[in-house]
Amino acid sequence: MRLPASYPMALLAALITLTPIYVLITLASDTSSVFDSHNLDILANTLSLMALTVLGSILIGVPLAFISAYVHLPFKKLWLVIFAAPLAIPSYIGAFTLYAAFGPGGEINNLLGIPTPSMDGLSGAAIVMTLYTFPFVMMTTRSSLLSLDASMVNAARTLGMSMTQSVFKVILPRVVNGIAAGSLLVALYTLSDFGTPAMMRLDTFTRVIYVEYNAFALGRAAMLSLQLMVIVGFLLMIESQIKTATERQGRPLILFPKKWQLSAMFITFAPILLLAIGLPLAIFSLWLARDGFSGFDFSIAWNSTYASAIAAVVAVIVAIPVAHAALSGKAGKVMERVTYFGFGIPGIVMGTALVYGGLQLPFLYQTLGLLIIAYTLRFLPLAVGSVRTSTEHLDPSLVKSARVLGASPREAFMRITLPLTMRGIIAGAALVFLESMRELEATLLLGPTGFETLSTYLWRVYEAGYFGRAAIPGLLLVVISACALAIMLTGEKRNQLEH
Amino acid sequence: ANIANPVSVDSLPKLEGELTLYLGRGEGGLYENVLQAIEKKNPNLKLGIRRGPTAALANTIVAEAKAGVRRADLFWAVDSGAIGLVTDAGLAQPIPSDLSAQLQPQFRYKEWTPVTGRIRTLPYNTSRLTKEQIPTSIMEIADSDLSIGWAPAYASFQSFVTAMRILEGDDKTAKWLKKIKKRSKTYAGELGVVMGVERGEVDIGFANHYYTLRLKSGKPDAKLDLAFTQNDAGCLVNASGVLALSDDPLATNFMRYLLSTEVQSYLASEAYEIPLVNGISVPQGIPSLSSISPPKIDLTQLADLRPTIDLMRSSGVL
Amino acid sequence: MLSVSQLSIDYGSNRVVSDLNLSLGNNEILMLVGPTGCGKSTILQALAGLIPISEGEINSGKWRATPKITVPAEKRSVGMVFQDFALFPHLTVQQNIFFRLKDTSPGEHWIKLLGLDEFRNKKPATLSGGQKQRVALARTLAHQPDFVLLDEPLSNLDAALKDMLRWDIRNALKAAGVPAIWVTHDQEEALSVGDRVGVLQGGKIQQIDTPERCFSMPNNRFVARFLGEASFISGQFSQGQATTSIGNAPAHGVDCDSGDVDVLLRPDDVLLVQSSVGNNGEVIWVRFEGGSRLCAIKLACGTVVTSRVSHEIVVNPGDAVHVSLSTSHPLAVYKQLAQ
Amino acid sequence: MLSVSQLSIDYGSNRVVSDLNLSLGNNEILMLVGPTGCGKSTILQALAGLIPISEGEINSGKWRATPKITVPAEKRSVGMVFQDFALFPHLTVQQNIFFRLKDTSPGEHWIKLLGLDEFRNKKPATLSGGQKQRVALARTLAHQPDFVLLDEPLSNLDAALKDMLRWDIRNALKAAGVPAIWVTHDQEEALSVGDRVGVLQGGKIQQIDTPERCFSMPNNRFVARFLGEASFISGQFSQGQATTSIGNAPAHGVDCDSGDVDVLLRPDDVLLVQSSVGNNGEVIWVRFEGGSRLCAIKLACGTVVTSRVSHEIVVNPGDAVHVSLSTSHPLAVYKQLAQ
Ligand SMILES: Nc1ncnc2c1ncn2[C@@H]1O[C@H](COP(=O)(O)OP(=O)(O)OP(=O)(O)O)[C@@H](O)[C@H]1O
Ligand SMILES: Nc1ncnc2c1ncn2[C@@H]1O[C@H](COP(=O)(O)OP(=O)(O)OP(=O)(O)O)[C@@H](O)[C@H]1O
Ligand SMILES: [Fe+3]
Ligand SMILES: [Mg+2]
Ligand SMILES: [Mg+2]
């Protein structure tokens, strides 16, 4: 048996993504475990937050995926961009604005006189995390839904099952894979995020890590992060157990909604999207109006854009062999799984680990190059996931056909596989782009000195309490990200025509 | 001791060359204008700024040193713990005596120099309390029936607990923490504490002074005011500080700028920080340094965070 | 019972099926054939209530659907068998068949009848195509539908399997005693399995009749060609008799009463004889069909006719042969097309 | 030229094809048939160099591949036409056909010959199935392969289209003058299109011979049944003559020289007569096939034989009929199976 050609590259990628973990292990090596019983309720909080967020993301993401995949809507693409837009907003910014807007004495109360419940604690944190992570579930579920053949729903209906019931009994069980893939990303994001639970006054594992970190007990922070990795490992295992039968692709369902159904959908989901995107922008604008415009250096937006764009390109280049390895065998699957760890490490710990790693490469240290490597390590799973799905759907006889027409494996890859999986590649690139745009810690610690991005700028003015100054960069972040999403969707459209 | 008068930037040597500053923690938004002004004044200065969470930058500096790489010439941190980490690692350059001479005696250190001060305060909600209802001893607050907002994970709070440990001992501190915990609401940061007080979520809070002043400047009718304790950790004056990592005189000279009249008064008036050099008035809204009675504590001692964290954890606060 | 009148169906502004009329007796199997994209699946989906209709009416006796009165699919008591089987992959064979059944005994009945007993606890993915098709059929019939719609139920199967399953399905439908509409694009299937055949082109019914009549007396040339090998030879038609260059035969005018016509010749209507003299054509190709050979013969006038000969007769391309009309039943004749 | 000797292919430890021997003359078309999963595609893929072989040798005249000597697919100068066309969806028809061609003139040639001129700038998705199939063929032939492999090139098409394309492909292959192996599971296709037929079962060749011989003198019962409607009647065989309850006929012993045998009856070997007296069987089913009817007749002894009658003869199930052997060519007889 010859090894699949993608293995060496995938192995390399997996090993590189393991370097941060290796650094954590060396940092933690002189530390005894700091997991005491007191941490148990923190662990409980963490797991509850994770569970609630995953649940919330499924409750919002799956219906939206369903709508965007099956329901015949005017301006379909635009809706999709809007549904995915929350990914463009750093969750700590969302958390902060929601906190500021809600509750007695919040901005909504001040301006409109409507009393609103305050956003805090477990429920508040879960709501905020849900608002900023459900697009992960939406995107993965949507692509699963699009690959389903409609005939099974038709069969169920002719067997006397109503449409609504069919959705639950016939459609959803078949996209469990897609839902699980998205939920995994949500769970990892929730595990690694610090800002939101902290802002919502919820004690989670990351907070313990931050406390140790800020007390300069880097070893302990590393040790705790490693413990977090155990949870990540469990999640990866659980997710890989979830399997649905692979199906032949077919013509997807198209539903023509009635007027009242359209209104119902709008009434249900408009508030969610307004909350996730509208509210932060509105609050920032409000503060902008209060503080007055004090100038903004637009080159910062450019920094963000090109660094993220390069990261997106690099990430998909690395993701391609990893995705192919995952499809070629068991070992490859393991390599692919390994790349997910980077997504679950808290940002600041990851940032520091990469400082240690980066210092081994002095020529790269504090250059854009290292920053891009860092983005790639953190967000590789996003790219791998979507490249893998699109490759799974590629008809193997196309490559064979190119081979017998005289193309070497390499040429067949370049001329056939690559262009035909472009949809997944572009989608993956867009996700990496979005996450890189809002990434903070690695950017602060690893970017070139003086290199400022929209998210570091947002952080800076937020820390300083100059919230009004967050309006313009916040808006830019959303607009640029929306453009990236739009590009991603045109890629998708072009590909649909071809099939 | 004698305090040298602050100098004006006009009499300082021009800065020329390249300088990399690691600027910890975000008040950077406010420090930004200071840095810009310095750059404007010194067109030949190429100032590179790396901003980041204070602890992360301190860790980075230590890691860089371990790897034999030095990228930062200066480290300006808002928290003395971080400064302690770097000075303990033996990375800081000595401060010339003429520089520290400009500072009030209790703020003179060998390897770093404070830039501005921040006082621990008790922000309170004016519609729920009057100043008189607030005990003037931090220890007594634990026995009051006030509801309290705090941010135990915040570095300044931890420095305050360290001060309390030094002044009152571990046992008393632990008891105090436990009592407060019962009536407290935890926030992520002290801005949150102040906002919570203003909204009436709690009666009083523990926070650095500037959060209240900033909030009030954006919202003059806020139902918020500051109270102070006396002679205890509750009104500890802590400092943000700067240290030099390179022996280049340029780095030292840059520090001189930070202690100049102009910078100090700018920081006082715009950033609501407390000037530590002579002759500059404190920001509006707080009493002058002489009218409050902060505890006498060597700020370097506050860098010893470990026992504090352990104490706070065993008290169930962290 | 099922009757459809003046049914039209649009996709957006695109009329895909127009003015469809048909009615289905109890127990009757109607085969619906037509080229790809002619609207066969669309009709079935409309009958099942899966897509809306634009005009006309569907009446099942129990319910009546019009563009205004929509009856949802699940209320129509219709059975549907799909081209790709549409088995629920997450359920076992038995769970598929018992899907939503309160009383499982009809399910048991069909499991037995279709020989699915040993697979009942398997997942569909582990079954062969033919087994899957049987499960799909059992599932449909177990729900005791008022009528059954089959959308190319065999097109995903082997030729060898097809031949067998075709009859299994027919027998099962007859045993269940429900009327059915069976879509196929295989003319052999259409002619052999059903009680009547409907030929569809471009969304319009061209002919609905018994297989025999559709085959031997097609309404037009499209139907003629679609249902099997057909050649046309010009001739004169009058008084029930057609005269051509290769002989005379009784004839029936489909669209004319007399005059210049084209006569439809099926390969069996043309007798090929190998003789040394009097040959009137040349063999241009021969296809071995197992039991017989199909030969194409070019006549002197240039017309090509096909003839089927026994496999015992060996004919080779290039052979000179004699062909003549040889039929006792009337041939279909059509007005000659303007050149 | 292509010769394969003692070829075996494994998937992991699972032997899928064993001891395959075949050779292909210039210009010859070999049809490979067999039930699903018997290894047809596997053989083609091995010949194309897409999967490794375990034993044996493939020799094209220009290269020689063994388990040790691997010749990569792109070096084999082989053409392959896939079941699902495998057109590159992102390239136009012309770009597909010119894929990797330095000299595009053979591409032009086939575009013209297969009538693809008007589609050359279209993307495959906009073509019909038949057009796609022609593009795939043109692409393969434009590369002037030394031999061509076709893996069920028609199975995704309409029955109507199939019949036409089958001949287009044959003619194109003959025009190009390259040998070809054509996999199908349609026995009709296998018998009519190729020069020789190879019947495969479970990875083993059962028979390779001309269509006529495979059909009328199959090596075993599997081949007999696979290639078309077959019934067996018991009888005695001696000296080139078979005696059965419905008559005698010349016969050839496939696996025996004399004794109790089963005689293979094709529907055309059985003559059905409707008479009022002397009937020896009862019709149990009738299938209309267009030009003819296939009838199954149950004899008194319980044996069921099939007979094909002209469509002009109307037979109904339940009719009493008389059947007899009617053939001039020898029938195949097989040793009777132990009961
Ligand atoms: N969802 C749809 N939206 C728009 N047009 C459609 C849709 N489904 C089918 N059509 C068009 O309607 C016409 C009829 O399609 P239909 O599927 O009924 O054909 P069919 O006869 O079943 O063909 P086939 O033999 O290929 O299954 C085709 O031209 C097709 O392109
Ligand atoms: N990649 C593979 N790994 C393992 N077994 C395989 C693989 N591909 C095919 N097989 C097995 O090898 C056998 C032969 O498969 P092959 O595809 O050659 O059959 P086939 O004759 O082409 O069938 P069909 O008519 O369905 O195309 C089957 O039993 C199949 O399950
Ligand atoms: Fe602060
Ligand atoms: Mg159809
Ligand atoms: Mg095959």
Side-chain angles (χ1 to χ4, degrees):
Chain A
M1 271 296 279
R2 242 173 307 152
L3 278 180
S6 54
Y7 271 26
M9 282 288 288
L11 186 64
L12 188 68
L15 289 179
I16 294 175
T17 51
L18 278 181
T19 46
I21 298 204
Y22 171 76
V23 173
L24 291 187
I25 292 173
T26 48
L27 287 177
S29 59
D30 53 347
T31 316
S32 59
S33 171
V34 281
F35 193 89
D36 53 41
S37 58
H38 167 69
N39 285 353
L40 274 180
D41 40 329
I42 288 170
L43 184 64
N45 278 346
T46 306
L47 295 179
S48 320
L49 175 63
M50 190 178 85
L52 285 177
T53 306
V54 166
L55 188 73
S57 301
I58 291 176
L59 285 181
I60 300 176
V62 173
L64 284 182
F66 190 86
I67 291 172
S68 66
Y70 289 161
V71 177
H72 182 85
L73 288 178
F75 313 115
K76 211 165 172 175
K77 299 284 166 194
L78 179 68
W79 284 113
L80 195 51
V81 170
I82 293 174
F83 292 167
L87 282 189
I89 296 181
S91 59
Y92 71 90
I93 292 287
F96 178 72
T97 48
L98 280 163
Y99 174 73
F102 281 88
E107 296 290 359
I108 295 180
N109 196 349
N110 290 348
L111 284 178
L112 309 172
I114 311 166
T116 45
S118 35
M119 281 272 183
D120 62 358
L122 180 59
S123 54
I127 288 173
V128 174
M129 290 304 289
T130 300
L131 287 180
Y132 294 101
T133 54
F134 77 77
F136 286 130
V137 176
M138 201 262 308
M139 308 263 260
T140 54
T141 310
R142 178 172 176 270
S143 79
S144 297
L145 284 173
L146 281 178
S147 70
L148 292 187
D149 193 72
S151 65
M152 234 162 282
V153 177
N154 291 342
R157 293 194 64 199
T158 56
L159 293 172
M161 189 175 252
S162 69
M163 189 63 219
T164 333
Q165 265 184 313
S166 315
V167 169
F168 286 99
K169 298 209 171 149
V170 177
I171 298 183
L172 291 187
R174 295 191 289 154
V175 292
V176 170
N177 254 351
I179 299 176
S183 302
L184 176 69
L185 295 177
V186 171
L188 296 187
Y189 191 95
T190 314
L191 281 185
S192 66
D193 190 46
F194 168 69
T196 305
M199 209 105 51
M200 295 290 145
R201 308 189 308 99
L202 181 73
D203 242 3
T204 60
F205 217 77
T206 41
R207 214 222 42 178
V208 186
I209 294 174
Y210 269 67
V211 166
E212 292 298 344
Y213 186 90
N214 284 321
F216 308 105
L218 193 50
R220 289 193 181 201
M223 171 59 84
L224 287 163
S225 301
L226 288 175
Q227 291 172 0
L228 196 61
M229 289 303 99
V230 176
I231 304 181
V232 171
F234 269 119
L235 289 177
L236 287 174
M237 242 170 60
I238 294 170
E239 196 259 356
S240 67
Q241 294 305 308
I242 296 176
K243 281 200 198 80
T244 45
T246 48
E247 291 178 38
R248 219 173 47 88
Q249 229 171 334
R251 206 187 273 177
L253 202 63
I254 301 177
L255 298 174
F256 296 87
K258 301 208 176 72
K259 276 243 165 57
W260 68 267
Q261 287 169 320
L262 272 179
S263 326
M265 280 188 290
F266 189 78
I267 290 169
T268 320
F269 292 105
I272 292 171
L273 293 164
L274 277 178
L275 215 55
I277 330 162
L279 189 77
L281 293 181
I283 296 273
F284 284 147
S285 310
L286 180 69
W287 288 333
L288 177 66
R290 271 189 207 154
D291 291 6
F293 183 70
S294 55
F296 174 73
D297 180 1
F298 284 88
S299 71
I300 290 175
W302 171 240
N303 282 350
S304 274
T305 310
Y306 82 77
S308 305
I310 299 174
V313 171
V314 173
V316 289
I317 291 175
V318 179
I320 289 169
V322 176
H324 279 259
L327 295 174
S328 338
K330 275 224 174 77
K333 188 121 193 90
V334 173
M335 296 175 207
E336 185 232 15
R337 293 274 112 179
V338 164
T339 63
Y340 273 73
F341 279 97
F343 199 56
I345 303 175
I348 191 122
V349 180
M350 180 74 162
T352 304
L354 288 173
V355 165
Y356 276 83
L359 280 166
Q360 304 309 308
L361 310 164
F363 62 95
L364 267 182
Y365 184 62
Q366 291 189 350
T367 63
L368 191 61
L370 187 67
L371 182 60
I372 283 168
I373 293 176
Y375 285 158
T376 307
L377 293 188
R378 292 207 65 190
F379 305 131
L380 190 58
L382 298 174
V384 171
S386 75
V387 174
R388 194 194 51 209
T389 337
S390 70
T391 312
E392 268 167 346
H393 291 144
L394 183 68
D395 179 357
S397 61
L398 289 177
V399 172
K400 290 178 180 174
S401 175
R403 294 288 308 280
V404 296
L405 290 172
S408 65
R410 199 190 133 75
E411 186 183 345
F413 178 79
M414 297 303 292
R415 294 183 62 184
I416 308 300
T417 312
L418 207 54
L420 290 178
T421 50
M422 206 36 102
R423 165 187 180 176
I425 292 173
I426 291 174
L431 277 178
V432 173
F433 181 86
L434 293 186
E435 283 299 312
S436 302
M437 285 289 282
R438 67 174 177 177
E439 207 285 341
L440 180 62
E441 282 94 347
T443 316
L444 287 173
L445 293 183
L446 296 168
T449 294
F451 183 80
E452 191 140 31
T453 65
L454 287 174
S455 84
T456 64
Y457 182 85
L458 273 175
W459 174 76
R460 175 150 73 82
V461 297
Y462 157 74
E463 287 269 297
Y466 287 149
F467 306 120
R469 294 194 191 167
I472 304 285
L475 189 67
L476 277 176
L477 200 55
V478 173
V479 168
I480 295 172
S481 303
C483 291
L485 281 167
I487 291 172
M488 165 176 122
L489 294 171
T490 38
E492 183 176 71
K493 191 172 158 210
R494 197 169 53 233
N495 229 285
Q496 270 172 351
L497 260 182
E498 287 160 1
H499 279 288
Chain B
N2 285 337
I3 304 174
N5 277 330
V7 274
S8 159
V9 282
D10 295 325
S11 58
L12 287 172
K14 284 274 177 223
L15 304 174
E16 288 186 7
E18 287 188 22
L19 205 54
T20 300
L21 169 69
Y22 280 17
L23 177 59
R25 205 69 186 182
E27 344 290 358
L30 298 153
Y31 296 165
E32 209 66 27
N33 294 345
V34 172
L35 296 172
Q36 269 171 13
I38 296 176
E39 278 183 297
K40 205 168 167 198
K41 192 107 197 129
N42 299 282
N44 292 328
L45 173 69
K46 256 193 90 203
L47 184 63
I49 305 169
R50 171 171 299 275
R51 303 172 181 87
T54 307
L57 288 182
N59 278 329
T60 302
I61 288 169
V62 173
E64 285 175 356
K66 263 191 206 155
V69 176
R70 184 178 56 72
R71 292 294 164 94
D73 301 307
L74 286 165
F75 179 33
W76 185 0
V78 295
D79 153 38
S80 43
I83 288 173
L85 184 80
V86 178
T87 51
D88 287 354
L91 301 176
Q93 299 293 326
I95 301 290
S97 55
D98 66 306
L99 190 59
S100 45
Q102 296 178 14
L103 291 158
Q104 301 179 17
Q106 72 268 34
F107 293 116
R108 292 176 189 170
Y109 299 98
K110 268 212 289 268
E111 295 182 301
W112 65 286
T113 175
V115 178
T116 53
R118 50 266 318 272
I119 312 177
R120 297 299 302 168
T121 58
L122 305 175
Y124 68 96
N125 185 304
T126 49
S127 62
R128 296 171 66 149
L129 290 177
T130 60
K131 200 171 249 168
E132 288 66 40
Q133 287 170 275
I134 302 169
T136 54
S137 152
I138 192 76
M139 301 314 279
E140 274 171 35
I141 288 184
D143 300 316
S144 72
D145 55 0
L146 299 170
S147 67
I148 297 163
W150 67 350
Y154 183 58
S156 285
F157 182 86
Q158 291 167 1
S159 295
F160 148 76
V161 177
T162 311
M164 186 184 280
R165 273 180 43 237
I166 293 166
L167 296 171
E168 315 278 344
D170 282 5
D171 285 353
K172 274 184 152 178
T173 307
K175 269 188 206 131
W176 184 87
L177 282 170
K178 280 179 194 157
K179 280 189 200 157
I180 297 284
K181 184 177 184 247
K182 285 195 192 114
R183 280 181 295 102
S184 68
K185 193 167 175 185
T186 305
Y187 292 86
E190 293 191 341
L191 175 64
V193 171
V194 172
M195 286 173 76
V197 172
E198 197 266 335
R199 286 179 173 204
E201 291 174 10
V202 287
D203 298 329
I204 64 165
F206 299 134
N208 281 344
H209 73 279
Y210 50 85
Y211 290 113
T212 304
L213 301 188
R214 271 185 223 159
L215 195 139
K216 284 182 74 172
S217 82
K219 199 176 174 187
D221 57 344
K223 304 182 208 75
L224 192 65
D225 206 351
L226 284 180
F228 296 86
T229 59
Q230 276 169 12
N231 266 322
D232 56 24
C235 60
L236 171 75
V237 175
N238 203 336
S240 76
V242 62
L243 56 79
L245 295 154
S246 88
D247 53 6
D248 186 343
L250 185 59
T252 330
N253 285 339
F254 186 87
M255 294 198 217
R256 293 182 204 280
Y257 273 77
L258 296 182
L259 296 183
S260 67
T261 329
E262 288 83 353
V263 170
Q264 289 282 314
S265 40
Y266 175 86
L267 288 174
S269 60
E270 298 298 320
Y272 307 100
E273 308 250 346
I274 297 173
L276 298 178
V277 297
N278 259 353
I280 314 271
S281 48
V282 296
Q284 256 191 338
I286 52 168
S288 74
L289 258 190
S290 50
S291 72
I292 56 174
S293 39
K296 306 266 176 297
I297 273 206
D298 177 357
L299 291 185
T300 325
Q301 280 180 282
L302 300 183
D304 189 16
L305 259 183
R306 190 73 256 154
T308 304
I309 299 287
D310 290 341
L311 181 77
M312 289 175 76
R313 174 164 294 133
S314 65
S315 315
V317 170
L318 273 183
Chain C
M1 201 219 66
L2 178 75
S3 82
V4 175
S5 58
Q6 291 301 111
L7 180 71
S8 294
I9 309 164
D10 301 335
Y11 281 118
S13 61
N14 188 14
R15 176 136 303 186
V16 174
V17 172
S18 34
D19 300 329
L20 179 77
N21 291 292
L22 57 86
S23 73
L24 213 59
N26 294 332
N27 202 342
E28 188 186 20
I29 299 177
L30 172 68
M31 306 299 292
L32 209 54
V33 270
T36 287
C38 69
K40 304 182 295 294
S41 302
T42 304
I43 292 174
L44 293 203
Q45 300 213 18
L47 295 183
L50 297 168
I51 54 173
I53 64 176
S54 310
E55 276 173 39
E57 170 182 324
I58 307 169
N59 197 323
S60 89
K62 296 197 186 148
W63 48 259
R64 190 175 143 261
T66 65
K68 294 273 162 54
I69 313 169
T70 57
V71 181
E74 58 271 24
K75 298 274 159 61
R76 294 198 178 195
S77 185
V78 47
M80 195 148 177
V81 179
F82 295 84
Q83 176 173 347
D84 47 6
F85 320 124
L87 300 180
F88 306 126
H90 55 302
L91 304 180
T92 64
V93 165
Q94 170 166 322
Q95 286 168 334
N96 261 284
I97 294 173
F98 289 0
F99 188 79
R100 288 182 52 79
L101 279 191
K102 291 226 176 57
D103 169 16
T104 57
S105 59
E108 283 298 340
H109 172 77
W110 290 109
I111 287 180
K112 296 270 151 51
L113 211 75
L114 291 171
L116 296 170
D117 225 355
E118 50 180 316
F119 313 114
R120 54 165 82 222
N121 294 318
K122 289 201 171 171
K123 288 278 174 75
T126 64
L127 301 183
S128 77
Q131 290 160 352
K132 280 187 203 162
Q133 192 54 73
R134 278 204 201 94
V135 176
L137 190 65
R139 183 177 67 179
T140 300
L141 294 177
H143 284 73
Q144 304 181 294
D146 291 342
F147 60 99
V148 173
L149 305 171
L150 303 102
D151 196 355
E152 310 198 9
L154 302 172
S155 74
N156 274 342
L157 302 174
D158 276 17
L161 250 185
K162 260 183 201 178
D163 196 56
M164 190 173 77
L165 267 182
R166 191 180 279 174
W167 298 97
D168 287 353
I169 296 182
R170 183 194 151 94
N171 294 340
L173 288 172
K174 290 292 181 191
V178 284
I181 299 183
W182 178 329
V183 159
T184 174
H185 51 222
D186 182 339
Q187 62 273 47
E188 201 183 312
E189 196 164 289
L191 290 175
S192 61
V193 176
D195 300 316
R196 278 194 299 160
V197 175
V199 183
L200 202 66
Q201 188 194 19
K204 292 205 174 67
I205 285 284
Q206 305 296 316
Q207 185 163 9
I208 297 196
D209 217 325
T210 60
E212 284 84 354
R213 274 198 70 79
C214 285
F215 185 78
S216 60
M217 205 50 67
N219 269 356
N220 55 40
R221 289 159 207 247
F222 167 78
V223 175
R225 287 222 176 76
F226 193 81
L227 290 181
E229 188 58 45
S231 46
F232 291 90
I233 190 166
S234 64
Q236 278 74 43
F237 171 49
S238 70
Q239 294 176 334
Q241 194 72 14
T243 320
T244 74
S245 63
I246 58 168
N248 304 339
H252 175 79
V254 176
D255 53 3
C256 59
D257 293 330
S258 63
D260 284 356
V261 291
D262 282 333
V263 183
L264 165 62
L265 300 180
R266 297 291 184 192
D268 302 81
D269 301 325
V270 177
L271 180 70
L272 178 150
V273 187
Q274 291 172 298
S275 69
S276 44
V277 290
N279 288 334
N280 59 355
E282 182 193 333
V283 175
I284 51 178
W285 51 251
V286 180
R287 297 173 191 174
F288 182 60
E289 290 182 328
S292 55
R293 275 175 229 279
L294 187 68
C295 312
I297 303 102
K298 191 168 187 173
L299 304 178
C301 60
T303 305
V304 174
V305 298
T306 51
S307 169
R308 187 166 278 123
V309 300
S310 157
H311 63 284
E312 303 201 19
I313 299 177
V314 179
V315 196
N316 288 308
D319 287 2
V321 293
H322 180 265
V323 289
S324 58
L325 289 189
S326 144
T327 170
S328 58
H329 64 86
L331 299 180
V333 302
Y334 303 85
K335 218 175 7 215
Q336 219 160 54
L337 296 176
Q339 297 291 313
Chain D
M1 201 217 67
L2 178 75
S3 83
V4 176
S5 57
Q6 291 300 111
L7 181 70
S8 295
I9 309 165
D10 301 335
Y11 281 120
S13 61
N14 187 14
R15 176 137 303 185
V16 173
V17 172
S18 34
D19 300 329
L20 178 76
N21 291 293
L22 59 85
S23 73
L24 213 59
N26 292 333
N27 202 343
E28 189 186 20
I29 299 177
L30 172 68
M31 305 301 291
L32 210 54
V33 271
T36 287
C38 68
K40 306 182 294 293
S41 302
T42 305
I43 293 174
L44 293 203
Q45 301 213 22
L47 296 183
L50 297 169
I51 54 174
I53 63 176
S54 311
E55 277 174 39
E57 173 182 322
I58 307 169
N59 197 324
S60 88
K62 295 198 185 147
W63 48 261
R64 192 176 142 258
T66 67
K68 294 272 162 55
I69 312 170
T70 57
V71 180
E74 60 271 24
K75 297 276 160 59
R76 293 198 180 197
S77 186
V78 47
M80 194 149 179
V81 178
F82 293 83
Q83 176 173 351
D84 44 8
F85 318 124
L87 298 181
F88 306 130
H90 56 307
L91 303 181
T92 63
V93 165
Q94 170 165 323
Q95 286 167 333
N96 261 284
I97 295 173
F98 289 180
F99 187 78
R100 284 184 53 80
L101 279 191
K102 291 227 177 55
D103 171 14
T104 58
S105 58
E108 284 297 341
H109 173 77
W110 289 108
I111 287 180
K112 296 271 150 52
L113 211 74
L114 292 171
L116 296 169
D117 225 354
E118 51 179 315
F119 312 113
R120 55 165 82 221
N121 294 318
K122 289 201 171 173
K123 289 277 178 78
T126 64
L127 301 184
S128 76
Q131 290 160 352
K132 280 187 204 163
Q133 191 55 70
R134 278 206 203 97
V135 176
L137 191 66
R139 184 177 67 179
T140 299
L141 295 177
H143 284 73
Q144 303 181 296
D146 291 343
F147 60 98
V148 173
L149 305 171
L150 302 104
D151 195 355
E152 311 197 9
L154 300 173
S155 74
N156 274 343
L157 301 176
D158 275 17
L161 249 185
K162 259 184 202 175
D163 197 55
M164 190 174 75
L165 268 182
R166 193 179 278 174
W167 297 97
D168 286 353
I169 296 182
R170 183 193 149 95
N171 293 340
L173 288 173
K174 291 292 181 191
V178 283
I181 300 183
W182 178 329
V183 160
T184 175
H185 51 222
D186 182 339
Q187 62 274 47
E188 200 184 312
E189 194 163 292
L191 290 174
S192 60
V193 176
D195 300 315
R196 276 194 299 158
V197 175
V199 183
L200 202 66
Q201 189 194 18
K204 291 206 177 64
I205 285 284
Q206 306 296 317
Q207 184 162 11
I208 296 196
D209 217 326
T210 61
E212 283 84 356
R213 273 197 72 79
C214 284
F215 185 77
S216 59
M217 206 48 68
N219 269 358
N220 54 42
R221 288 161 207 249
F222 168 78
V223 174
R225 288 220 174 76
F226 194 82
L227 291 181
E229 189 58 47
S231 47
F232 290 89
I233 189 166
S234 64
Q236 278 74 44
F237 171 47
S238 71
Q239 294 177 332
Q241 195 71 16
T243 319
T244 74
S245 63
I246 58 167
N248 305 338
H252 174 80
V254 176
D255 53 2
C256 60
D257 292 330
S258 62
D260 285 354
V261 291
D262 283 335
V263 184
L264 165 63
L265 300 179
R266 296 293 183 191
D268 302 81
D269 300 326
V270 178
L271 180 71
L272 179 148
V273 186
Q274 292 171 299
S275 68
S276 44
V277 291
N279 289 333
N280 58 358
E282 181 194 335
V283 174
I284 50 177
W285 51 251
V286 181
R287 297 174 190 173
F288 182 60
E289 290 182 327
S292 54
R293 277 177 227 277
L294 186 69
C295 312
I297 302 102
K298 192 169 188 171
L299 303 179
C301 59
T303 305
V304 174
V305 298
T306 51
S307 169
R308 187 166 279 123
V309 301
S310 156
H311 63 284
E312 302 201 17
I313 299 177
V314 179
V315 196
N316 289 308
D319 288 1
V321 294
H322 180 265
V323 289
S324 58
L325 289 189
S326 143
T327 170
S328 58
H329 63 88
L331 298 179
V333 302
Y334 304 85
K335 219 176 7 219
Q336 221 161 51
L337 297 176
Q339 295 292 311

